Structure formats: structure tokens, C-alpha cells
Amino acid sequence: MITAVYPGSFDPCTNGHLDIIIRSSKIFDKLIVAVLSNSGKTPVFSVDERMEFLRIVTKKLPNVEIDSFSGLLAEYTKACGASVIIKGLRAVSDFEYEFQMSLINTKLNPKVETLFMTASTHNMYLSSSLVKEIAVLGGALDGMVPEEIQSSIYDKLRR
Ligand code: PNS
């Protein structure tokens, strides 16, 4: 049984995240989507809100579990018995940092491999930061975040 972890801030989850979740859930027996709870960044949505969004959008995916973690990702992967870390790549500019992180994570947990999955072309431009900015300014989020969570994102962000 191979367990993979897809870690991130998910502040909030976008269609880009959901696409990576759906595609990787087809490859692994179990996929844990792990929300970072002690990020250096100050998130707009609480850990509970971010986890609830992820639960809503993955409710039809039986092998996907939503969790949160703090501290080192490498330690978290050891604790949950995961052998793979999934990272989504949107552009070459994502790669350098992600490459460094993958080397560090394997140094800290030699049993874990990082698998990079390229974003689908229609999601290449998406980011949680842009989604938040658009919502604050009252723009349409259609096609950017899953429909089921759009109104909750607006409720919190729209001025
Ligand atoms: O969605 P993000 O913000 O790009 O996700 C970043 C994340 C959560 C994957 C990354 O910050 C992370 O792994 N943080 C945990 C701390 C850690 O293990 N850092 C790497 C070793 S210094």
C-alpha cells in the first residue's frame, strides 16, 4: 500500500490544487492532503476553514484524507507512513525552490520521494494569492475555485 502526501497552505484550495488531488488519487492507494498549520505566512483562512474546504471538494474521492501538520514535512511523512510527497508545478519558476525542498526532504527522510506533477494547462495561471485578490475586489472566481466553496470564500473576503 503506497501512501502519498500532498502538502500545502491551501489558503484557499483552488481548481489547480483539486486537479492535482484528483490525478494523484488515481495513482496512489491513499492520498493525504496535509494543510500546513504553522506557516511563516499569515493565512487568511484558519486551518479548520482550509480543511473544511478540502473535505467538501474531495468528498467523492474515497482514498483522499484531509489532515493538518506543523513542523517539518519530512517528519510528518515518517509519522503517517507516506513514501511519496506530491508537488504541483505551474512554471519553471516554481522548480528551483521545489527542487531544493525535495533534496532537503529526502535528506531528512531518506525513505520519501518527491513526485512533481505538472499543472494542467488551464490551471497554469492559478494561485491562492490571486484568487484572494480577485475575491476581495469582487471579481468572478468561476473556473478558478471549486463551485461548492466559492460563496464561503466571498463571504470572508468581499469588501
Ligand atoms: O502551498 P505552499 O505554501 O507552497 O506549501 C509549502 C509547504 C507547506 C509544502 C512547505 O512550506 C513545507 O513543506 N513546510 C513545512 C516545513 C518544512 O518541512 N520545510 C522544509 C525543510 S526546511
Side-chain angles (χ1 to χ4, degrees):
M1 157 131 171
I2 301 181
T3 300
V5 169
Y6 178 36
S9 302
F10 304 106
D11 186 39
C13 167
T14 67
N15 278 348
H17 294 128
L18 182 56
D19 176 52
I20 300 283
I21 292 170
I22 292 169
R23 285 160 58 207
S24 40
S25 73
K26 289 177 186 160
I27 300 173
F28 299 100
D29 301 300
K30 180 169 155 189
L31 176 71
I32 303 173
V33 183
V35 177
L36 179 65
S37 70
N38 67 334
S39 168
K41 310 172 195 169
T42 308
V44 168
F45 295 94
S46 69
V47 176
D48 286 345
E49 286 171 322
R50 288 180 275 153
M51 289 177 73
E52 185 55 19
F53 287 162
L54 285 162
R55 275 193 206 100
I56 291 169
V57 304
T58 61
K59 64 174 185 289
K60 288 188 181 147
L61 303 170
N63 64 335
V64 174
E65 204 174 275
I66 311 303
D67 195 12
S68 64
F69 76 105
S70 56
L72 289 173
L73 176 60
E75 292 301 324
Y76 175 75
T77 55
K78 278 184 203 166
C80 61
S83 47
V84 178
I85 294 169
I86 308 281
K87 289 295 187 85
L89 289 181
R90 288 164 302 187
V92 178
S93 52
D94 286 344
F95 183 73
E96 200 167 338
Y97 177 72
E98 292 299 344
F99 181 57
Q100 195 181 6
M101 284 297 112
S102 85
L103 295 174
I104 286 176
N105 284 325
T106 302
K107 169 96 183 133
L108 295 171
N109 176 5
K111 291 188 176 154
V112 82
E113 296 284 351
T114 298
L115 188 146
F116 294 110
M117 193 171 273
T118 48
S120 300
T121 44
H122 53 281
N123 290 325
M124 288 276 183
Y125 63 94
L126 281 178
S127 74
S128 295
S129 316
L130 285 179
V131 159
K132 282 179 281 196
E133 189 169 341
I134 293 165
V136 166
L137 299 171
L141 292 178
D142 300 335
M144 298 183 197
V145 297
E147 264 179 47
E148 313 94 284
I149 63 171
Q150 272 192 35
S151 58
S152 306
I153 294 173
Y154 276 125
D155 287 350
K156 181 131 188 178
L157 292 177
R158 200 163 174 180
R159 284 182 187 142

